[in-house]
Amino acid sequence: MFMQFDDMKHLMKRGFMHVGFTEENADIMSENLAIAEARGMYSHGFIMAARYMEFVTDGPAHANPEILVLKDNPSSCLIDGGIGLGGIVVKKAVEIAVEKARKTGSATVLITNTYHYGCGANYVEQAANAGMVAYLYGNNGGIAAPFGGVDRFLGTNPYSYAAPAGKYGNFVLDMATTETAMGKIFAAAQDGREIPPGLGLDRNGNPTTNAKDVLDGGALKVFGGHKGYGISFMTVVSGGVLSGANYHRNDIRIMADEGLPSAGFFLQVTDIDKFVGIKEFHHRMESMIDDLKTVKPAPGFKQVYYPGEIENLRLADSIKNGVNISDATYQAFKDYMKKQGMEF
């Protein structure tokens, strides 16, 4: 199903408003999902729209949460997300962090009582566009095996980072600490596709290319062996242990069909103007990437990209030329919205 970017975003926004989101919150959610889809991060794009709405219509999530600051200090705070969707809550957290960092140089915001936040790139880029360097860690439920084990213990535990890069836009790193995002496993199962080798295990700990094996009691694999395992564990410490959220594999809930939320997120932003200054920072980033572009490509590669560049190019192309949604994903959205009484 081919769609223009604005049409895709508008359709999702209509859906969110139809099930009770304010126009502002519906715009936040649809923008987040549309940009993720346009970046090529389809596991966090259009496929999640109906699922997020189900969090509200069929679960305990609040479409329009009351976001509370539980602890507040000049350079930090702890936020209660009011059982709201992460896309709404984390956007607010970035706004708070940026405001604090402008005064203190750096700010840390921890977030509890909220659900899955979607594409982390969108939030760290929000901070980068404000002249900040930003980190975001997510601590979510036990669906990945630790290095050396086969049982579910860790989440996909995403790690996102962004910094402005002058003429190159923003340098954005957004990745799961597993070999793939769980959303891609869901998408493969929905479309009836196999997954590449090396991504997941079945319930007995055997490697599998069947997405349904992973979903049916299997597990994802952490990326990078023991090193990726260490980074994934770090996100649990920062997002779960430090925030006061749950951190035990059986108690972390990030999806509304699992019950009330219990995961935690960690956000840190740094004001570049408090250090080398934004103009000099842009110059230095451009100089570094200019130099990167002189690196000779390896066999099979046309050029060396900086992290996030491919997604930036894909985003620009998708906004101009549109995106292709899988027929199964579009039909699932359509079926759900018809069930809610929305006309197409």
Side-chain angles (χ1 to χ4, degrees):
M1 176 70 182
F2 186 82
M3 301 180 73
Q4 292 297 325
F5 177 85
D6 288 341
D7 293 339
M8 173 183 62
K9 178 184 172 184
H10 179 67
L11 178 61
M12 289 189 287
K13 182 176 179 179
R14 278 185 59 211
F16 281 111
M17 292 180 68
H18 184 80
V19 299
F21 288 69
T22 64
E23 183 173 3
E24 179 183 5
N25 286 341
D27 194 61
I28 291 171
M29 293 303 302
S30 58
E31 177 84 2
N32 185 305
L33 295 172
I35 290 177
E37 188 72 42
R39 285 181 183 275
M41 305 170 88
Y42 62 86
S43 60
H44 290 64
F46 191 88
I47 195 172
M48 290 298 296
R51 194 168 189 206
Y52 283 148
M53 293 176 209
E54 284 180 326
F55 287 8
V56 172
T57 60
D58 301 350
H62 295 172
N64 307 297
E66 181 182 5
I67 301 170
L68 302 175
V69 175
L70 301 178
K71 293 185 177 181
D72 193 24
N73 296 288
S75 62
S76 67
C77 70
L78 175 63
I79 291 177
D80 183 305
I83 320 180
L85 298 187
I88 296 165
V89 178
V90 178
K91 185 177 187 299
K92 180 64 176 177
V94 173
E95 293 171 358
I96 292 171
V98 167
E99 182 179 356
K100 285 181 176 293
R102 291 210 190 284
K103 299 174 183 177
T104 63
S106 184
T108 302
V109 177
L110 276 73
I111 306 153
T112 65
N113 202 25
T114 186
Y115 289 109
H116 191 269
Y117 59 60
C119 177
N122 294 343
Y123 312 109
V124 290
E125 193 157 35
Q126 176 187 342
N129 290 337
M132 307 276 161
V133 171
Y135 302 82
L136 174 64
Y137 308 146
N139 168 40
N140 52 33
I143 53 179
F147 179 73
V150 297
D151 295 334
R152 292 183 172 191
F153 184 83
L154 298 162
T156 56
N157 295 355
Y159 176 98
S160 306
Y161 175 95
K167 67 182 180 182
Y168 290 105
N170 293 319
F171 156 49
V172 181
L173 173 67
D174 183 19
M175 61 182 222
T177 52
T178 45
E179 288 285 2
T180 190
M182 195 63 171
K184 291 185 177 179
I185 304 296
F186 282 120
Q190 185 178 73
D191 295 344
R193 293 181 284 107
E194 286 197 335
I195 58 174
L199 303 186
L201 307 172
D202 65 17
R203 60 170 55 246
N204 297 313
N206 300 311
T208 184
T209 58
N210 187 332
K212 293 182 180 179
D213 285 345
V214 179
L215 299 176
D216 184 23
L220 293 175
K221 295 180 67 176
V222 293
F223 87 100
H226 65 284
K227 295 181 180 180
Y229 167 50
I231 294 173
S232 182
F233 206 96
M234 175 190 72
T235 70
V236 180
V237 176
S238 296
V241 178
L242 182 61
S243 69
N246 284 347
Y247 53 87
H248 191 279
R249 56 178 164 168
N250 295 326
D251 296 327
I252 301 171
R253 296 178 298 277
I254 198 167
M255 300 298 186
D257 54 6
E258 301 168 339
L260 292 172
S262 61
F265 308 135
F266 175 99
L267 169 70
Q268 186 173 66
V269 303
T270 300
D271 185 358
I272 294 167
D273 269 336
K274 298 295 190 294
F275 296 89
V276 298
I278 191 66
K279 185 176 180 180
E280 177 64 12
F281 189 85
H282 280 164
H283 170 72
R284 293 167 70 86
M285 288 293 290
E286 288 173 354
S287 175
M288 181 172 66
I289 296 174
D290 285 344
D291 189 29
L292 175 72
K293 292 300 182 179
T294 69
V295 172
K296 181 181 179 180
F301 290 83
K302 294 182 178 179
Q303 64 168 298
V304 178
Y305 293 96
Y306 64 86
E309 183 178 7
I310 293 174
E311 289 79 10
N312 287 348
L313 294 171
R314 189 178 289 130
L315 174 62
D317 180 72
S318 296
I319 290 174
K320 180 180 179 181
N321 298 312
V323 297
N324 190 40
I325 308 294
S326 83
D327 290 341
T329 297
Y330 181 79
Q331 188 62 47
F333 176 85
K334 187 175 180 179
D335 290 345
Y336 171 78
M337 294 315 308
K338 284 187 173 181
K339 179 182 173 184
Q340 300 304 318
M342 189 178 93
E343 295 182 2
F344 274 74

